[in-house]
Amino acid sequence: VHEMSGTATATVGGTTKPLSLGDTLEEGQTVKSGKEGFVTMRFADGQLVLLHPGSSFTVSKYKYSAQDTKSSNILFRLAVGAMRFVSGAIGKTNPQNFSLLTPTATIGIRGTDHEPFYIPPAGWSGAPGGEPGSYDKVNSGATFMQTEGGRIDLGANQVGFAPPNPQAQPTRLDRIPDFMRPAPMLRGQGERRGEGG
């Protein structure tokens, strides 16, 4: 954990504990941020992740070797809320080895700064009135969104949306939704602060 404000917890194997600065994340760990909590995580390959308040994500798979980036891979799951990603070595050298799953879509990258959101059918406190589904806002680089219904490619300053029905085709939105306020800047790009998240 690189930076944080407010509170957050980490759960692995049924055990939940408060998250603190300097904590290292493990595979299988789920991080939940409090209502006011932003959490910035730096992974061993330099991948930066900012978790918005009231959000939950899981490190389903994280394997990184500086000597063998071809076999390195990342699989994250976003259960609710929003995140911002700035690609590290894995995303820059092997973007096909990075996947983010929401309950309705798979999001892939192309060496990217992007912000995926997932609003469950019951809603999310960070996007009052926001239409349920998966979103991805690209700040730089490119991503794609894929569902059982199809795939779209997204470039800088574009937002994709996948509705709750997994068979629906994702679409590119005409404008950025109001709830996608600019995320805090991810500080620390280029710094070296140890291994892990």
Side-chain angles (χ1 to χ4, degrees):
V1 176
H2 186 63
E3 289 179 28
M4 63 184 295
S5 62
T7 60
T9 60
T11 303
V12 65
T15 303
T16 300
K17 67 179 184 74
L19 202 58
S20 301
L21 271 178
D23 283 357
T24 299
L25 301 181
E26 307 167 21
E27 266 191 0
Q29 206 156 32
T30 296
V31 176
K32 291 185 180 179
S33 53
K35 280 187 178 173
E36 307 298 322
F38 279 96
V39 182
T40 303
M41 294 149 276
R42 174 189 288 282
F43 289 81
D45 72 319
Q47 169 80 55
L48 285 171
V49 176
L50 173 92
L51 189 64
H52 286 238
S55 301
S56 174
F57 101 106
T58 301
V59 182
S60 294
K61 186 185 291 182
Y62 184 84
K63 301 259 188 260
Y64 174 65
S65 165
Q67 292 74 36
D68 185 13
T69 56
K70 286 206 183 312
S71 68
S72 300
N73 54 62
I74 296 173
L75 174 61
F76 291 141
R77 293 178 187 272
L78 178 62
V80 62
M83 308 170 76
R84 181 175 180 184
F85 290 92
V86 175
S87 296
I90 296 172
K92 289 175 181 167
T93 59
N94 293 296
Q96 70 280 5
N97 291 358
F98 175 101
S99 291
L100 172 76
L101 304 182
T102 73
T104 63
T106 299
I107 297 171
I109 61 163
R110 298 289 174 263
T112 306
D113 175 348
H114 70 119
E115 298 175 61
F117 288 67
Y118 176 68
I119 302 175
W124 173 53
S125 60
E131 187 176 343
S134 300
Y135 299 79
D136 194 34
K137 175 175 160 251
V138 179
N139 297 315
S140 65
T143 67
F144 66 84
M145 289 186 85
Q146 186 162 344
T147 65
E148 293 170 25
R151 170 181 159 149
I152 59 166
D153 293 305
L154 300 167
N157 302 310
Q158 293 182 329
V159 178
F161 172 70
N165 175 0
Q167 281 82 37
Q169 165 79 32
T171 58
R172 197 174 291 110
L173 300 181
D174 294 333
R175 65 178 196 83
I176 296 172
D178 293 339
F179 63 80
M180 290 186 168
R181 293 181 295 283
M185 289 305 295
L186 281 168
R187 286 180 282 165
Q189 288 173 261
E191 291 177 16
R192 299 195 175 272
R193 280 214 192 167
E195 301 289 300

